[in-house]
Amino acid sequence: MSLRKAFRSRKFSKSFRELKLSDEDQASGGGRRIVRDSDCADSSSSPSSSSWSDMLPELLGEIIRRVEASEDKWPHRKNVVACACVCKRWRDITKEIARSPSYSGKITFPSCLKQPGPRDFPHQCLIKRNKKTSTFYLYLALTPSFTDKGKFLLAARRYRHGTNTEYIISLDADDISQGSNAYVGKLSSDFLGTNFTIYDSQPPHSGAKPASSRSTRRFASKQISPQVPAGNFEVGQVSYKFNLLKSRGPRRMICPLICPPSDETSIGKPLDNLKLKKTASTSSGYTFLRNKAPRWHDQLQCWCLNFHGRVTVASVKNFQLVAAVDPSQPGGKGDEETALQFGKVGDDTFTMDYRQPLSAFQAFAICLTSFGTKLACE
């Protein structure tokens, strides 16, 4: 055996022995250990993890690139997340290699839920409803079947405060509260249930001010990052039009939203330096979406929309949201592109397919507005 091979064998055998001892120490402590940035920073200075954090950047990048390329779907996608949990250095390189959902079409980290969806094809998701607990669960569909849950993404619970209704949205299905560390935002409605406001736990841009009303404050929240102010920031509205004449027809809705930037260079950069993609429906930083008008089918005697097989049960909750493309732009055809479609496939199962410019968080919040009776709109 050459000297070079012997040195490598010694070095890696030592690192694996130290790693094994570290695992045994953690196992003796009992319980599951949640990895945070501070934990990774402390562990990187210890001898047990120095061999991992001191790897050559070229070698480390090649390892993570191969894992990223091979583990392209859940549940195997968890191996990419495991690479980001080794230490802070591994996490920084993993974030650089794992591209945003708008380019890769993959949801990897929780931050991806607030980034725009894919460009060319939608993310297909399922929403499961629990009527007894007024809870809703969002899953990323992994198979074409409507019965498989898939990968859990978000959860929401409906609360009634006097005449108003709120939906608290969380990353943790077992801890859905506004004071939880898993809290990501909420949806608030008026008395009639026709006007909704979407609040994000993070500011949509630097300088954004949180809502000042008492009902939108976070009292028991623990601030995760000192640079990000804790609070609720308005990022959109959903309005259903009144049906005063009580004429037959579907619900009509319009959604002005502050959509997240789709530029991949936006990762880790201040939002003020970004430029949103302007369309005919974009004005003053807001993107306006409206429901696609269905057509009346004389033979079936009902309103119809083409959901491409993703909706199987007729319901007044079914809708498609579109944003008109500016025909004056080069390549613009003036056609309507479906940014979000929502429909019923079972008693408590619904499909949610979204794409740019919406994020999973925004799409989920919009779909939550469809639940509940709206006598003034039907």
Side-chain angles (χ1 to χ4, degrees), residues 236-237 239 253-259 277 279-291 321-325 337 339 357-358 366:
Q237 298 177 358
S239 299
M253 55 193 298
I254 185 170
C255 308
L257 302 166
I258 301 179
C259 293
K277 184 180 180 180
T279 64
S281 58
T282 305
S283 176
S284 303
Y286 279 84
T287 297
F288 289 86
L289 303 178
R290 60 177 178 81
N291 68 299
L321 290 184
V322 296
V325 179
E337 294 183 354
L358 295 176
I366 295 174

Side-chain angles (χ1 to χ4, degrees), residues 18-321:
E18 292 173 344
L19 184 61
K20 184 177 180 181
L21 291 174
S22 176
D23 294 339
E24 292 176 353
D25 293 341
Q26 293 181 8
S28 63
R32 291 190 306 173
R33 183 169 180 264
I34 300 176
V35 180
R36 296 186 178 91
D37 291 345
S38 58
D39 299 334
C40 293
D42 296 339
S43 63
S44 62
S45 59
S46 62
S48 60
S49 61
S50 60
S51 299
W52 299 99
S53 60
D54 294 340
M55 291 181 65
L56 293 175
E58 296 81 3
L59 178 60
L60 179 57
E62 182 63 24
I63 293 174
I64 298 178
R65 285 190 188 92
R66 293 190 179 188
V67 176
E68 157 71 16
S70 60
E71 315 294 358
D72 58 340
K73 294 182 180 180
W74 287 94
H76 304 293
R77 193 72 181 163
K78 63 182 179 182
N79 294 327
V80 181
V81 180
C83 291
C85 294
V86 173
C87 64
K88 188 177 185 301
R89 187 161 176 261
W90 279 58
R91 174 159 49 253
D92 293 339
I93 295 180
T94 304
K95 285 184 177 181
E96 293 178 1
I97 295 176
R99 308 180 75 185
S100 62
S102 59
Y103 286 83
S104 65
K106 304 172 185 177
I107 294 179
T108 308
F109 305 108
S111 59
C112 296
L113 301 177
K114 291 190 177 181
Q115 296 175 356
R119 291 177 175 177
D120 302 327
F121 56 90
H123 269 315
Q124 295 183 345
C125 305
L126 292 174
I127 296 179
K128 302 285 186 176
R129 176 179 60 180
N130 189 330
K131 291 183 179 180
K132 294 182 179 180
T133 59
S134 299
T135 309
F136 306 85
Y137 304 94
L138 177 66
Y139 298 90
L140 177 66
L142 303 180
T143 63
S145 174
F146 296 142
T147 58
D148 295 339
K149 282 188 176 181
K151 173 69 174 69
F152 171 78
L153 299 179
L154 292 170
R157 179 169 295 164
R158 181 169 53 203
Y159 296 90
R160 296 192 182 276
H161 301 284
T163 58
N164 298 332
T165 303
E166 286 187 350
Y167 294 82
I168 304 299
I169 305 176
S170 173
L171 289 169
D172 191 346
D174 299 323
D175 189 3
I176 309 177
S177 63
Q178 199 166 350
S180 169
N181 284 337
Y183 172 79
V184 295
K186 73 173 187 176
L187 178 72
S188 179
S189 74
D190 61 357
F191 170 69
L192 295 176
T194 56
N195 295 310
F196 295 82
T197 305
I198 304 174
Y199 294 97
D200 195 337
S201 62
Q202 298 177 349
H205 55 80
S206 60
K209 296 182 179 180
S212 58
S213 62
R214 182 179 179 86
S215 61
T216 59
R217 294 176 186 171
R218 296 178 60 190
F219 293 96
S221 63
K222 295 181 180 179
Q223 194 169 335
I224 299 176
S225 175
Q227 288 78 21
V228 179
N232 288 296
F233 301 85
E234 183 177 336
V235 293
Q237 298 177 358
V238 181
S239 299
Y240 289 84
K241 294 185 178 180
F242 286 97
N243 187 5
L244 299 178
L245 300 178
K246 298 296 181 181
S247 59
R248 296 180 61 186
R251 297 171 178 174
R252 293 179 297 170
M253 55 193 298
I254 185 170
C255 308
L257 302 166
I258 301 179
C259 293
S262 59
D263 190 356
E264 192 177 26
T265 59
S266 64
I267 300 177
K269 294 186 178 181
L271 293 179
D272 279 350
N273 298 331
L274 303 174
K275 295 182 179 179
L276 296 177
K277 184 180 180 180
K278 300 294 182 179
T279 64
S281 58
T282 305
S283 176
S284 303
Y286 279 84
T287 297
F288 289 86
L289 303 178
R290 60 177 178 81
N291 68 299
K292 187 175 183 179
R295 59 181 181 85
W296 177 256
H297 199 287
D298 293 330
Q299 295 180 350
L300 299 177
Q301 290 295 300
C302 64
W303 296 95
C304 296
L305 275 174
N306 185 9
F307 289 95
H308 304 283
R310 291 285 294 165
V311 177
T312 59
V313 180
S315 173
V316 70
K317 297 179 177 65
N318 303 343
F319 67 83
Q320 288 181 336
L321 290 184

